[in-house]
Amino acid sequence: ETGVTQTPRHLVMGMTNKKSLKCEQHLGHNAMYWYKQSAKKPLELMFVYNFKEQTENNSVPSRFSPECPNSSHLFLHLHTLQPEDSALYLCATTRDRSTEAFFGQGTRLTVV
Amino acid sequence: KNEVEQSPQNLTAQEGEFITINCSYSVGISALHWLQQHPGGGIVSLFMLSSGKKKHGRLIATINIQEKHSSLHITASHPRDSAVYICAVRGHGDKLIFGTGTRLQVFP
């Protein structure tokens, strides 16, 4: 248990669906991150939120839309995804930008 | 070429063996992380280090800043150590840059 909880753990969605991934942390951390992990590739940073403000968008397609309504919750809204978007999506938090990262269990997304 | 390279990509061992996983990087860093990812997907931070050596139980991590190299050692390996071990460096702008991981399987 890392203190970072992601739901759902598994998600299968069609290319025309709209779904959301949720990340919740009870660590009091100020920075929250979305990462994508595809098979045989390093983790790719997607978005960074610092004190609820988006500070980084790593050239992510607009079909991925993040939201950080408060310091404990981070969402990733998905719409009109492509099969190549199938991957493990990981949320992470840090107390600030330069400290140890705590990861959630990830959401395994399959786009059909 | 990735900025963070790990070797080997895959590693099998018998229970009790001493294991070494290597990480080389090509950028300036403020810290290096070793992470463990189990088959379920969740990632656990093992170490964050910027110099020298750290030890936690049977795990030891070392870093040589001049040579841009780090090693993760596991002593008296056990089947429960089977996982993917990921090296990540914190570069400029505090971004984490990840290696592709080393898949370790320890057999009884």
Side-chain angles (χ1 to χ4, degrees):
Chain A
E1 179 58 51
T2 62
V4 181
T5 304
Q6 287 187 245
T7 53
R9 293 292 308 278
H10 300 272
L11 178 62
V12 179
M13 60 185 287
M15 289 190 282
T16 58
N17 290 159
K18 287 186 180 182
K19 296 285 185 185
S20 296
L21 310 185
K22 179 181 175 182
C23 175
E24 186 171 359
Q25 60 112 346
H26 300 288
L27 301 169
H29 287 175
N30 299 313
M32 299 183 79
Y33 311 76
W34 280 116
Y35 288 96
K36 175 183 178 184
Q37 187 179 36
S38 303
K40 299 192 190 306
K41 292 172 79 173
L43 272 76
E44 302 170 55
L45 178 65
M46 300 176 73
F47 300 104
V48 182
Y49 275 81
N50 207 24
F51 292 96
K52 300 186 294 178
E53 298 295 322
Q54 188 182 134
T55 55
E56 196 151 345
N57 175 337
N58 207 28
S59 303
V60 180
S62 59
R63 57 185 184 269
F64 294 91
S65 173
E67 179 191 5
C68 189
N70 56 60
S71 57
S72 298
H73 294 88
L74 183 66
F75 294 90
L76 188 62
H77 303 299
L78 317 170
H79 64 99
T80 59
L81 293 193
Q82 305 297 313
E84 60 264 30
D85 296 322
S86 299
L88 181 69
Y89 289 85
L90 287 153
C91 172
T93 72
T94 58
R95 192 177 69 243
D96 56 49
R97 288 295 304 271
S98 61
T99 54
E100 183 182 6
F102 289 75
F103 287 82
Q105 293 288 313
T107 295
R108 174 76 58 190
L109 174 68
T110 303
V111 182
V112 296
Chain B
K1 186 172 159 54
N2 291 341
E3 292 167 300
V4 180
E5 295 280 352
Q6 288 185 236
S7 63
Q9 288 189 324
N10 295 283
L11 183 57
T12 58
Q14 288 296 125
E15 184 172 357
E17 285 185 7
F18 180 83
I19 287 162
T20 296
I21 299 170
N22 296 298
C23 175
S24 296
Y25 54 92
S26 57
V27 296
I29 69 167
S30 56
L32 182 142
H33 299 251
W34 280 103
L35 309 167
Q36 182 191 55
Q37 185 173 31
H38 278 281
I43 292 177
V44 175
S45 177
L46 299 175
F47 294 103
M48 183 176 78
L49 64 166
S50 53
S51 66
K53 176 179 170 178
K54 285 191 176 181
K55 184 175 189 293
H56 182 69
R58 295 180 293 106
L59 302 178
I60 302 166
T62 63
I63 187 169
N64 185 317
I65 296 293
Q66 286 73 32
E67 294 186 3
K68 294 188 173 175
H69 180 268
S70 174
S71 292
L72 176 69
H73 305 286
I74 305 175
T75 61
S77 59
H78 190 275
R80 64 175 174 266
D81 297 325
S82 299
V84 175
Y85 292 84
I86 301 170
C87 172
V89 300
R90 193 172 291 284
H92 298 301
D94 290 333
K95 278 188 185 181
L96 276 178
I97 307 166
F98 294 83
T100 52
T102 295
R103 185 174 299 277
L104 170 66
Q105 287 186 293
V106 182
F107 294 99

